[in-house]
Amino acid sequence: MMDIFGIPIQALLGQLMLGIVNGSFYAVLSLGLAIIFGVLKIVNFAHGAFFMLGAFTAFLLAQYMGLDYWVTLLVAPLLVAVFGMLFEFLFLRRLYGLDPIYGLLLTFSLVLVLEGGFRVAFGSSGQPFATPELLRGTINLGFMILPLYRGFVILSALLLCLLTWFVIERTSLGASLRAATERSELTQAFGINVPRLITLTYGVGVGLAAFAGVLAAPIFHVNPSMGSSLVIIIFAVVVIGGLGSIMGAIVTGLGLGVVEGFTRVFYSEFSSTIVFLVMVLVLLLRPAGLFGREEG
């Protein structure tokens, strides 16, 4: 068995795989957060709660309606997206143009309501969510054993991120969205319903978080606090990548997941803080983030 710096190669590859899986969740979550901030300029502190809501929605659909995993993977994010659009239409819309602290406080209040409600209904220990039968087992790659479901998580997260990037950066809908962000009055003069576009954007952002929650459900127990442990890391990922940067969120999320995984091998006590150390270094050297644009 070959060693690298005294660490068995199998251990390094295992942590690499774990890092890519975690990075996949970071990428999808930070992508949704970057879209919301880039368009609405709202610090969506409820993003982790929408991640949790996606997992719980899938759990409830499977438990009480008998829907299989593949249906819940499509339906749960759509339901959460509709809920998010209602939240934006009824509450967030009133805060545009005000100090960002109001949006942060409102979304933080939503976190308390959602997590408290699910904690009362289901407790804090969490609910198991079965891995779909098609993705149970492992596959031998020659240099490591890969659990099928984790491979599916990586592949589906990458495809979703690339599809979202393509829609925003390479289609007329994305062009309208960017125009609405930078010149909302001029965009509306061309007949585009900017408020509706903004509502749809918020729905897409929280729908991405919910999709990540459904992907995470078979790996972690579905519990009310599963999003709160991730939201601070996701904010750090978005800051490192550049606020509002789509590609920055994707690349940074995946990269930091790998860095975090390798840190667990060499110095596990430092793995929970490595992301924030990277954030501090990036802010010192490039305040706009790795992929952000300097203003001025």
Side-chain angles (χ1 to χ4, degrees):
M1 182 182 298
M2 188 173 68
D3 290 357
I4 299 179
F5 300 113
I7 306 295
I9 187 66
Q10 282 80 0
L12 288 174
L13 291 174
Q15 286 301 323
L16 172 63
M17 182 55 57
L18 180 61
I20 295 175
V21 171
N22 289 338
S24 299
F25 292 128
Y26 295 165
V28 176
L29 281 165
S30 58
L31 175 60
L33 192 61
I35 290 172
I36 291 172
F37 183 83
V39 176
L40 282 69
K41 299 298 184 279
I42 290 288
V43 181
N44 188 41
F45 205 81
H47 212 64
F50 286 118
F51 171 81
M52 176 272 295
L53 189 59
F56 260 110
T57 301
F59 169 78
L60 294 173
L61 290 173
Q63 187 79 8
Y64 297 104
M65 298 187 64
L67 301 182
D68 67 13
Y69 173 82
W70 304 106
V71 177
T72 64
L73 185 61
L74 296 176
V75 174
L78 290 176
L79 293 176
V80 175
V82 171
F83 173 77
M85 288 189 287
L86 287 174
F87 177 71
E88 189 279 336
F89 180 78
L90 295 174
F91 301 106
L92 271 181
R93 182 170 294 188
R94 305 171 187 271
L95 305 180
Y96 299 153
L98 301 179
D99 192 301
I101 191 65
Y102 291 106
L104 189 150
L105 290 173
L106 177 61
T107 54
F108 181 67
S109 300
L110 180 62
V111 173
L112 297 179
V113 171
L114 289 177
E115 289 189 359
F118 279 101
R119 191 171 290 111
V120 170
F122 297 97
S124 302
S125 59
Q127 305 292 327
F129 193 97
T131 302
E133 187 174 352
L134 182 63
L135 297 176
R136 294 173 187 171
T138 60
I139 181 172
N140 190 343
L141 299 179
F143 57 92
M144 66 174 298
I145 303 297
L146 173 67
L148 284 176
Y149 186 77
R150 282 166 172 76
F152 168 74
V153 167
I154 296 169
L155 181 61
S156 57
L158 287 175
L159 289 175
L160 181 62
C161 287
L162 291 176
L163 177 62
T164 304
W165 173 84
F166 179 81
V167 169
I168 292 177
E169 299 292 339
R170 293 290 186 267
T171 66
S172 58
L173 176 61
S176 299
L177 181 59
R178 296 195 301 275
T181 303
E182 299 170 4
R183 297 286 189 273
S184 60
E185 294 182 359
L186 182 61
T187 305
Q188 197 147 353
F190 280 96
I192 297 174
N193 191 324
V194 172
R196 184 181 300 170
L197 191 61
I198 290 175
T199 301
L200 178 63
T201 301
Y202 190 79
V204 169
V206 301
L208 287 170
F211 184 86
V214 181
L215 288 179
I219 297 177
F220 312 108
H221 272 212
V222 180
N223 67 86
S225 301
M226 62 187 297
S228 60
S229 60
L230 284 175
V231 67
I232 302 300
I233 296 177
I234 299 308
F235 272 105
V237 170
V238 172
V239 170
I240 294 168
L243 291 173
S245 172
I246 303 303
M247 186 55 67
I250 298 171
V251 174
T252 306
L254 289 169
L256 287 179
V258 173
V259 169
E260 188 181 61
F262 279 135
T263 305
R264 286 197 182 95
V265 177
F266 294 102
Y267 192 59
S268 59
E269 295 84 355
F270 197 51
S271 62
S272 59
T273 58
I274 184 66
V275 172
F276 304 104
L277 177 61
V278 173
M279 182 181 72
V280 171
L281 292 175
V282 169
L283 290 177
L284 287 173
L285 299 174
R286 185 175 171 81
L290 296 177
F291 293 81
R293 290 179 293 180
E294 298 282 355
E295 295 186 359

